[in-house]
Amino acid sequence: MNTQITEGASLYLDLLKKTLTASVYDESAWLVLQPGKLHGAYSRIRAAVIRALGKKSLLLVKARPYDHAQRENGRDWPMVGLTMVGHRRLDNIRTCIESVIVDQIPGDFVECGVWRGGSSIFAKGVFKAWGVTDRKVWLADSFEGMPALETEVDKVDPDFSAERYLAVSREDVENNFRRFDLLDESVRFVKGWFSESLLTAPIEQIDEPGPTTICSENALSNVPYIARSRLRSYSAEPPAATLPAGS
């Protein structure tokens, strides 16, 4: 078992990270304006303009300067990027996966809430750089956007249920994998709300589950947990912890 990868493979992963976060494009910081909630005449006029442009396949975009610190920490939503988690969280994913590989801990990678698939694409890239072919990458998502917040427990998080920007279809995510030549039979999709889909998902062992509490709770109910990387795309600090098998 290799304990390190070549310099070329490491450079590939660094470039993959920058590309998936769109850090090589200043324009990625631009903001696509959405209709939003209707409060007053201005918001109604803006919404009408945005919808009218949408019917002609046009977008209303606000130009903003690229902020490296924001992108590094996953504090903005890149207009053309495939992940919003930022550099540090992708580094966290790489560190966790590489430690699992080196320590020969069995298990697959699972991301819960994938948006455009960038974090899972990066995970697949890490496996490829290490020459690993016997681990699956699971993507669990509604592929329809965020659910409405119903309970008080839910409401500790921001309500993004109206953000159609976050609704990315499975087909679009698959195509994003193809762009990097990383879509194969080891990439699996679990469609549905986590509270329902993960209970019956055919996942046997996890080496790195993804972002949300409900994902972790449901994943823990029927699979052994090997390592955990808690990644919230809108949190300040992305903690990571490696747990012994059976924890």
Side-chain angles (χ1 to χ4, degrees):
M1 169 62 65
N2 293 333
T3 59
Q4 61 183 7
I5 56 176
T6 66
E7 181 181 4
S10 186
L11 288 172
Y12 160 75
L13 291 178
D14 187 59
L15 181 58
L16 183 61
K17 175 179 67 177
K18 292 175 180 176
T19 305
L20 291 169
T21 57
S23 302
V24 294
Y25 307 110
D26 287 347
E27 294 83 0
S28 66
W30 293 3
L31 177 67
V32 178
L33 299 181
Q34 305 292 326
K37 297 181 180 179
L38 303 180
H39 298 298
Y42 171 78
S43 63
R44 287 194 291 270
I45 293 172
R46 190 181 82 160
V49 171
I50 292 172
R51 293 192 179 99
L53 290 172
K55 292 179 180 178
K56 297 182 179 294
S57 299
L58 298 173
L59 298 174
L60 188 61
V61 177
K62 180 180 180 180
R64 300 185 301 183
Y66 174 77
D67 186 324
H68 177 74
Q70 291 274 353
R71 189 63 49 85
E72 183 177 40
N73 291 294
R75 293 289 194 170
D76 64 350
W77 292 1
M79 184 175 72
V80 295
L82 300 186
T83 179
M84 61 178 71
V85 304
H87 300 176
R88 293 178 62 195
R89 292 182 180 88
L90 291 184
D91 288 339
N92 186 34
I93 287 176
R94 177 178 174 180
T95 298
C96 288
I97 291 178
E98 290 181 335
S99 67
V100 164
I101 293 172
V102 171
D103 294 338
Q104 300 184 49
I105 299 173
D108 296 338
F109 176 93
V110 180
E111 183 183 13
C112 300
V114 306
W115 193 41
R116 295 172 179 168
S119 294
S120 289
I121 292 171
F122 185 73
K124 177 64 176 175
V126 175
F127 286 136
K128 183 173 182 178
W130 279 81
V132 173
T133 59
D134 60 347
R135 296 178 188 262
K136 297 181 180 65
V137 172
W138 297 86
L139 293 87
D141 202 295
S142 70
F143 299 103
E144 297 175 1
M146 299 285 283
L149 304 183
E150 298 177 351
T151 69
E152 291 304 313
V153 174
D154 294 336
K155 292 176 182 177
V156 300
D157 291 331
D159 186 354
F160 292 131
S161 58
E163 290 283 353
R164 301 314 300 165
Y165 182 72
L166 300 177
V168 183
S169 70
R170 170 176 169 171
E171 292 73 19
D172 284 345
V173 175
E174 288 179 346
N175 285 332
N176 289 338
F177 269 86
R178 288 191 183 95
R179 290 172 179 171
F180 294 89
D181 294 323
L182 290 173
L183 184 66
D184 59 27
E185 66 280 355
S186 70
V187 179
R188 306 293 179 86
F189 295 84
V190 181
K191 179 176 171 59
W193 304 121
F194 301 150
S195 58
E196 301 169 355
S197 63
L198 291 176
L199 294 175
T200 58
I203 305 170
E204 296 179 355
Q205 195 168 63
I206 297 174
D207 67 34
E208 178 151 357
T212 62
T213 301
I214 195 167
C215 171
S216 299
E217 289 175 348
N218 284 283
L220 276 169
S221 68
N222 66 342
V223 296
Y225 227 27
I226 305 301
R228 178 182 304 177
S229 176
R230 298 302 302 280
L231 306 171
R232 285 182 179 271
S233 58
Y234 40 81
S235 66
E237 296 293 335
T242 301
L243 306 179
S247 295

